[in-house]
Amino acid sequence: MLPEEAMPPTLSPPALSALGEFLATRIGLNFPRERWSDLERGIAAVAPEFGFSDAESCARWLLSTPLTHPMIETLASHLTVGETYFFREPRSLEVLENHILPALLHARHGTERRLRIWSAGCCTGEEPYSIAMLLDRLIPDQREWNITILATDINPKFLRKAAEGVYGEWSFRGTPAWLRERYFKKRQGGRFEIVPHLKRKVTFSYLNLADDAYPSLANNTNAMDVIFCRNVLMYFTPDRVKEAARNYYRSLVDGGWLIVSPAETSNALFAPFTAVAFPGVVLYRKIAEAEHRAAVVQYPSPALVLPPEALTPPQPMVAETTHAAPIHDAPSEPVDLAAPSRNARECANQGQLAEAVAWCEKAIAAEKLNPAHYYLLATIQQEQGRHEASAQSLLRALYLDTDFVLAHFALGNLRLSQGRRREAERQFDNALALLKQHPAEEILPESEGLSAGRLNEIIASVRSSLPLVAAVGE
């Protein structure tokens, strides 16, 4: 018998070609001929989860079966590499530490002290926790800042491991010993658990980059300052990469940054952005003026393999105080009741939260019994870090409309972020019960395109990604 590595392929070239086209169309994953061996290994690995003993039977079934979202998640978990480590590809993190963050901190010192970072395709959490460690050293006292680190992935198993925050030696390769001593606690079996105050800084959430809607207030993917999406888009077809790039562009505030891996750099695929070259890495910046997009900006940057243990925080620079633009009353004739909430969304998507709240209050004043206005206000308040105010707004929305599915879901997510897991589960149960009254294809009100069936699957994924530990804070 041939050794395993020498065994001939079990899938024929026509079958592999058909599978490649199928996955490109349905999921956006790219498997050209040179990656057929990876495709075959992935199908062989996923076959038992679908109840098949061999890759060929599984392939035939996949090609003849409509894909559900749980099936897509299972396929993606086997057809992409779920392997990462702390401070991977450090050049990007150097630029974040030495250029991007100091500029943001200086600009917002004395104004609205907020910072929003998204790790898209976060895998098992090493990347967002690396960002949290970096911020911990740059901003030693974060109580005066409203900092969001959102980490999303398609794989509930990865999200569960990330939320648990327990890692082995392999996740620390290339990192200095002081990092473990400072940010981790030793556990049995040579494992290390990230310290609680850093764990609380990262919010893990389910998101399918190839299929779900973003930016959206509903999933907190709007008004980002920095988006990390490294070693994810390489698995997508060029068309899907371009679509994701357009969505990322809209998810960023003006002047925001998209950080991809060196292997994914492409000015053609990221055409909406301005390419900014640093030594050893090219990043992409959202600059609204179209005439600047084609330019490639050059920056000098010190070459550090890892951030130093001790770093002096940037000295505050008092920025010019900006005042919210006055909100003018709408003309008396005709009255556009939707204008205030529309303006609130536009302001929120650009991170202008004070203006967004003002527009929400104007909408509520005009329609006090409209629960949608309170829901929108709650999402903005949560971005401001006003979690209890957000909860109260959601409760007001539910008082006005007990069947408001998204309000139940949002309140569940909020309580989950506060460690109030039993209360979160109750809200998720309420949402699931209400979703049974909606056809799967129905677009839910205030959801920005989310269908009832998709929300049902998202709630199931959120629950499956929760750490298998007792609830806290109850």
Side-chain angles (χ1 to χ4, degrees):
M1 182 175 178
L2 290 170
E4 184 177 352
E5 62 270 19
M7 292 184 68
T10 58
L11 295 178
S12 66
L16 289 167
S17 177
L19 275 172
E21 293 179 8
F22 171 78
L23 292 169
T25 302
R26 299 301 307 278
I27 308 180
L29 296 181
N30 190 28
F31 284 96
R33 180 180 293 270
E34 57 269 22
R35 292 194 61 218
W36 279 0
S37 59
D38 296 335
L39 173 58
E40 184 166 6
R41 280 193 297 271
I43 297 299
V46 80
E49 294 200 36
F50 289 140
F52 297 95
S53 59
D54 61 273
E56 184 177 3
S57 301
C58 183
R60 285 200 301 267
W61 175 74
L62 284 171
L63 290 170
S64 61
T65 303
L67 279 185
T68 64
H69 283 283
M71 289 168 61
I72 289 173
E73 294 161 17
T74 302
L75 279 169
S77 69
H78 286 277
L79 295 173
T80 58
V81 178
E83 188 272 339
T84 185
Y85 48 92
F86 292 105
F87 290 96
R88 184 181 184 182
E89 296 178 1
R91 296 265 183 204
S92 298
L93 294 170
E94 292 166 18
V95 175
L96 181 70
E97 181 179 39
N98 296 318
H99 292 281
I100 296 174
L101 288 178
L104 281 169
L105 297 177
H106 289 174
R108 292 181 183 167
H109 190 275
T111 58
E112 191 169 33
R113 298 184 179 185
R114 60 190 298 270
L115 182 66
R116 290 171 57 78
I117 299 177
W118 176 14
S119 171
C122 67
C123 193
T124 47
E126 286 90 337
E127 178 177 85
Y129 284 137
S130 295
I131 296 168
M133 294 176 212
L134 191 155
L135 286 173
D136 186 68
R137 297 193 333 277
L138 273 177
I139 316 174
D141 186 358
Q142 298 185 13
R143 288 174 295 182
E144 296 181 357
W145 285 82
N146 177 20
I147 297 174
T148 296
I149 304 176
L150 174 67
T152 65
D153 203 272
I154 193 176
N155 190 326
K157 293 179 182 178
F158 291 166
L159 290 171
R160 184 160 54 244
K161 178 178 178 180
E164 289 170 349
V166 179
Y167 299 93
E169 288 282 352
W170 194 237
S171 291
F172 296 93
R173 56 193 185 276
T175 59
W178 65 261
L179 187 139
R180 268 180 287 187
E181 294 169 359
R182 183 169 179 174
Y183 292 117
F184 292 84
K185 295 180 179 180
K186 288 184 179 180
R187 294 290 180 252
Q188 292 181 343
R191 311 285 286 173
F192 298 85
E193 182 177 3
I194 197 157
V195 293
H197 83 273
L198 273 192
K199 189 184 292 188
R200 289 192 295 268
K201 293 184 185 303
V202 182
T203 300
F204 292 98
S205 182
Y206 173 87
L207 188 76
N208 182 344
L209 294 172
D211 199 30
D212 286 331
Y214 56 97
S216 172
L217 289 169
N219 54 29
N220 199 27
T221 53
N222 63 300
M224 289 292 166
D225 295 300
V226 183
I227 299 176
F228 278 80
C229 186
R230 302 189 297 176
N231 303 295
V232 176
L233 299 176
M234 65 173 63
Y235 295 106
F236 288 6
T237 63
D239 286 344
R240 283 295 176 96
V241 174
K242 290 178 181 178
E243 181 181 355
R246 288 192 294 270
N247 289 338
Y248 285 145
Y249 188 86
R250 293 167 51 235
S251 296
L252 288 164
V253 297
D254 192 23
W257 295 83
L258 172 64
I259 301 177
V260 300
S261 74
E264 296 164 321
T265 301
S266 168
N267 291 349
L269 294 177
F270 301 106
F273 292 88
T274 296
V276 184
F278 296 87
V281 66
V282 174
L283 309 185
Y284 294 95
R285 193 172 193 190
K286 176 178 178 177
I287 299 177
E289 295 80 2
E291 62 267 22
H292 295 306
R293 291 182 190 161
V296 177
V297 183
Q298 299 285 338
Y299 273 84
S301 176
L304 298 176
V305 175
L306 274 173
E309 178 176 1
L311 181 70
T312 302
Q315 295 301 311
M317 269 178 56
V318 179
E320 292 184 5
T321 303
T322 56
H323 299 281
I327 299 173
H328 302 290
D329 290 333
S332 57
E333 292 292 341
V335 176
D336 183 2
L337 292 177
S341 60
R342 186 168 59 247
N343 292 340
R345 286 182 184 275
E346 291 174 0
C347 289
N349 282 334
Q350 278 302 308
Q352 300 165 4
L353 300 187
E355 294 92 328
V357 168
W359 280 113
C360 277
E361 291 171 347
K362 192 174 182 68
I364 290 170
E367 296 181 289
K368 292 182 175 62
L369 301 182
N370 188 335
H373 299 332
Y374 293 97
Y375 170 75
L376 179 57
L377 177 61
T379 63
I380 298 166
Q381 288 169 328
Q382 189 165 359
E383 282 190 36
Q384 291 178 311
R386 300 166 59 197
H387 300 303
E388 280 310 313
S390 176
Q392 290 302 312
S393 295
L394 288 170
L395 290 171
R396 289 189 184 98
L398 289 169
Y399 176 79
L400 293 169
D401 181 4
T402 57
D403 295 341
F404 198 156
V405 178
L406 277 182
H408 285 291
F409 177 58
L411 188 55
N413 280 330
L414 177 57
R415 292 313 190 199
L416 193 60
S417 72
Q418 296 173 320
R420 298 162 68 171
R421 181 161 168 177
R422 281 198 290 269
E423 189 174 343
E425 292 279 8
R426 286 195 293 271
Q427 295 299 332
F428 291 149
D429 286 340
N430 292 337
L432 289 172
L434 290 168
L435 285 170
K436 293 178 181 178
Q437 304 172 19
H438 297 266
E441 67 278 4
E442 180 183 338
I443 301 300
L444 296 170
E446 308 304 317
S447 70
E448 300 173 273
L450 184 68
S451 69
R454 188 68 189 111
L455 181 58
N456 200 320
E457 292 164 347
I458 289 172
I459 295 174
S461 295
V462 169
R463 282 182 150 166
S464 67
S465 67
L466 293 176
L468 303 177
V469 295
V472 295
E474 301 283 354

